[in-house]
Amino acid sequence: MSFKENVTKIIENVGGASNVNSATHCVTRLRLILEDESAVDIKKLEENDLVKGVFSASGQFQVIIGPGTVEKVYNEFMKQTDAEEMSKDEMKKRNVEKGNLLQKGVRVLADIFIPILPAIVAAGLLLGLNNLLANPGIFYDEQSLLDVYTGWTGFAEFIAVVANTAFTFLPVLITWSAARKFGGSPLLGIVLGLLLVHPDLMSAYAYAENPGDVEYWNMFGWEVAKIGYQGQVLPVIFATWLLVWAEKHLKNFIPGNLQMIFVAPFALIFAGLLTFIVIGPITMTGSNWITDGILYLFEVSPAFAGGIYGLISAPLVITGMHHIFLGVNLQMAGTLGYVTLWPVSETATLAQGAATLTMFLILKHNAKLRGVSLTATISAWLGVTEPAIYGINLRFRYPFIAVMIGSAFGSAFIAFQQVKATSVGVGGVLSFLSVYPEHWASYFIGMGITFVITVGLTLFFSKTNMFHANNE
């Protein structure tokens, strides 16, 4: 069939145009709100040449198409239906009341972190590039590239400044994104973020080393510490929520012609004072406890902690709860200068691709699924795992089990070797660029363990009835 005919078949198999209430798309998926999901013919939908897989979550029926093609499918889909065109944010708002409190909290974190993730990933890659240039023993024995080619020193220093900018001003990125999420002014969010890292404040790093050197504001007899919030995540999110709350309530009773004069300063003073006096110290302590607790687990029993985290990494992606750990990684990168959870969890990305590549070899008599397997492998190893998860591995079940086990063993080894990365980096085969070069050997060995176990278990499970899905 032609491209247009395939899109027509997608519409028919989701219950027809009359069953489609609204539609949008993301990087890989067509996201639909349907009148009746029971009208969907999943079997015929998965036979479509354009479809890599389907699943339903949070009130949305999602059809996996793949990067690049999904936008073309969406445009043709909208031409052939009377569906309401909706942005991803509008669709999220429509589904915001669905799910329990934990799911709603995870959704909020995802909506805050995802928009700033490209800046964080770029910073991680640039830090990795700087490590390549400055670390000895990579290209020359006991010498760095800069030691041999001194003319590159200025360029390397510039790269380091660019790379560190995202972490130096991490609170600004978070307040901007959080203000948008909470329905406030992103510009006021930026000002609040700049306030929290103002150079007149003692930085959070200096305070951690010399808490006795902190200075105070005397506010009517109340001593308020002049401490910045560099590298913090949770305090910054709470501060932004206070800012937006104040902004909205001030607009309710200040006349419209006076709002531009009074709303911004009053909201900033209110949110700033409460942050520095109450919210900030409490949430900063809680954030540091979380970070210290995770580090403690990895110090007491690194292999066990890493193995458990590797085991649950793939299921966490399905539930969306991996965004909680994204916040922890950002907190680590901002306060410690390195992250440990991210390299441990990256085994799951490799494993998803390893499982689909193995399924490509197993599914010898199904050209459609072999095609899906191959494209899903490439996508997973470039950091996008949804086609692999929903198109193949969850559908057959046993490859997904192999992914979990393979990730657990690889992550246990990586955690045991105390592998560290500069920050959250790009996923897939290029992930090693964000890992400190001195840890590359351990990281590659851990990834190799994951690959071998995942492939071996996928082949073993395919020849038995263990974990097989009923709809194969």
Side-chain angles (χ1 to χ4, degrees):
M1 288 187 290
S2 67
F3 175 84
K4 186 175 180 180
E5 290 172 331
N6 272 317
V7 175
T8 301
K9 285 296 183 183
I10 290 176
I11 297 170
E12 291 177 4
N13 294 328
V14 296
S18 60
N19 194 40
V20 182
N21 188 316
S22 53
T24 187
H25 73 90
C26 59
V27 177
T28 59
R29 288 162 282 168
L30 190 64
R31 297 168 175 255
L32 310 174
I33 293 181
L34 305 177
E35 294 289 343
D36 179 14
E37 286 194 12
S38 65
V40 177
D41 190 330
I42 293 178
K43 185 175 181 181
K44 288 185 178 179
L45 198 57
E46 290 179 335
E47 292 173 354
N48 194 296
D49 291 337
L50 294 174
V51 177
K52 306 294 189 294
V54 299
F55 70 100
S56 180
S58 301
Q60 299 177 29
F61 187 80
Q62 303 188 29
V63 184
I64 303 169
I65 306 296
T69 309
V70 67
E71 187 173 355
K72 298 176 183 177
V73 171
Y74 173 76
N75 292 336
E76 182 62 33
F77 187 94
M78 298 307 290
K79 286 181 184 178
Q80 296 188 32
T81 64
D82 294 324
E84 176 188 358
E85 189 171 355
M86 183 179 291
S87 69
K88 286 187 289 182
D89 289 339
E90 289 171 334
M91 189 169 281
K92 287 174 183 176
K93 287 179 182 178
R94 180 171 292 193
N95 292 318
V96 74
E97 298 302 323
K98 298 179 180 180
N100 57 40
L101 187 62
L102 178 61
Q103 290 171 326
K104 292 177 183 177
V106 169
R107 204 172 296 145
V108 169
L109 291 177
D111 291 343
I112 291 173
F113 292 139
I114 289 175
I116 68 173
L117 197 54
I120 302 301
V121 170
L125 286 175
L126 289 174
L127 286 171
L129 174 60
N130 186 67
N131 288 332
L132 283 176
L133 296 173
N135 281 30
I138 298 176
F139 300 103
Y140 301 96
D141 292 338
E142 299 181 0
Q143 284 186 305
S144 70
L145 199 66
L146 295 180
D147 292 331
V148 178
Y149 300 99
T150 56
W152 285 78
T153 302
F155 176 73
E157 291 174 350
F158 173 74
I159 289 293
V161 171
V162 174
N164 283 305
T165 298
F167 296 108
T168 302
F169 297 100
L170 179 62
V172 181
L173 298 178
I174 295 174
T175 51
W176 166 79
S177 185
R180 292 174 68 233
K181 168 60 185 174
F182 296 141
S185 166
L187 181 60
L188 285 185
I190 291 173
V191 176
L192 177 65
L194 291 171
L195 167 64
L196 297 177
V197 293
H198 196 284
D200 283 351
L201 303 172
M202 185 180 189
S203 78
Y205 312 124
Y207 175 74
E209 293 178 1
N210 300 293
D213 293 343
V214 66
E215 297 180 355
Y216 296 85
W217 288 296
N218 189 315
M219 296 187 182
F220 312 105
W222 197 326
E223 298 291 316
V224 179
K226 298 181 182 180
I227 302 173
Y229 286 85
Q230 289 83 358
Q232 296 294 319
V233 173
L234 200 58
V236 176
I237 293 174
F238 274 93
T240 310
W241 183 87
L242 282 173
L243 175 74
V244 174
W245 183 89
E247 180 188 358
K248 290 179 178 178
H249 282 75
L250 285 168
K251 286 181 177 179
N252 287 337
F253 66 84
I254 294 178
N257 58 339
L258 298 176
Q259 286 183 5
M260 193 170 78
I261 301 174
F262 294 108
V263 169
F266 286 169
L268 285 167
I269 290 173
F270 172 80
L273 283 175
L274 274 182
T275 298
F276 283 106
I277 295 172
V278 182
I279 300 298
I282 293 174
T283 52
M284 181 187 278
T285 301
S287 297
N288 291 334
W289 282 353
I290 293 171
T291 303
D292 293 343
I294 291 174
L295 289 175
Y296 176 75
L297 289 175
F298 277 82
E299 287 173 3
V300 172
S301 182
F304 178 77
I308 293 297
Y309 189 43
L311 183 71
I312 65 174
S313 288
L316 284 176
V317 173
I318 298 173
T319 62
M321 290 182 67
H322 62 298
H323 293 297
I324 293 176
F325 293 96
L326 175 57
V328 175
N329 276 305
L330 292 179
Q331 176 82 18
M332 283 185 174
T335 56
L336 302 176
Y338 64 86
V339 296
T340 56
L341 287 180
W342 181 77
V344 170
S345 66
E346 266 304 293
T347 57
T349 304
L350 175 84
Q352 296 288 3
T356 51
L357 180 62
T358 310
M359 293 302 291
F360 173 79
L361 302 175
I362 292 171
L363 299 168
K364 297 179 181 178
H365 305 296
N366 193 323
K368 169 70 184 343
L369 287 180
R370 277 170 63 86
V372 173
S373 299
L374 191 58
T375 55
T377 300
I378 297 171
S379 177
W381 287 351
L382 292 177
V384 180
T385 57
E386 284 92 344
I389 292 172
Y390 299 108
I392 297 293
N393 296 339
L394 267 185
R395 176 177 180 172
F396 289 90
R397 192 185 300 158
Y398 65 85
F400 194 80
I401 302 297
V403 166
M404 293 174 62
I405 298 173
S407 299
F409 280 94
S411 294
F413 179 83
I414 289 174
F416 181 76
Q417 295 296 319
Q418 299 181 347
V419 172
K420 297 179 178 67
T422 54
S423 76
V424 176
V426 64
V429 294
L430 297 178
S431 61
F432 74 95
L433 293 175
S434 294
V435 175
Y436 286 106
E438 57 265 33
H439 297 299
W440 278 1
S442 297
Y443 187 69
F444 288 139
I445 292 172
M447 287 296 191
I449 292 170
T450 296
F451 183 86
V452 170
I453 292 177
T454 302
V455 171
L457 287 179
T458 304
L459 289 170
F460 174 74
F461 292 154
S462 71
K463 299 182 183 300
T464 68
N465 290 323
M466 295 179 67
F467 310 117
H468 282 231
N470 295 326
N471 61 346
E472 290 183 33

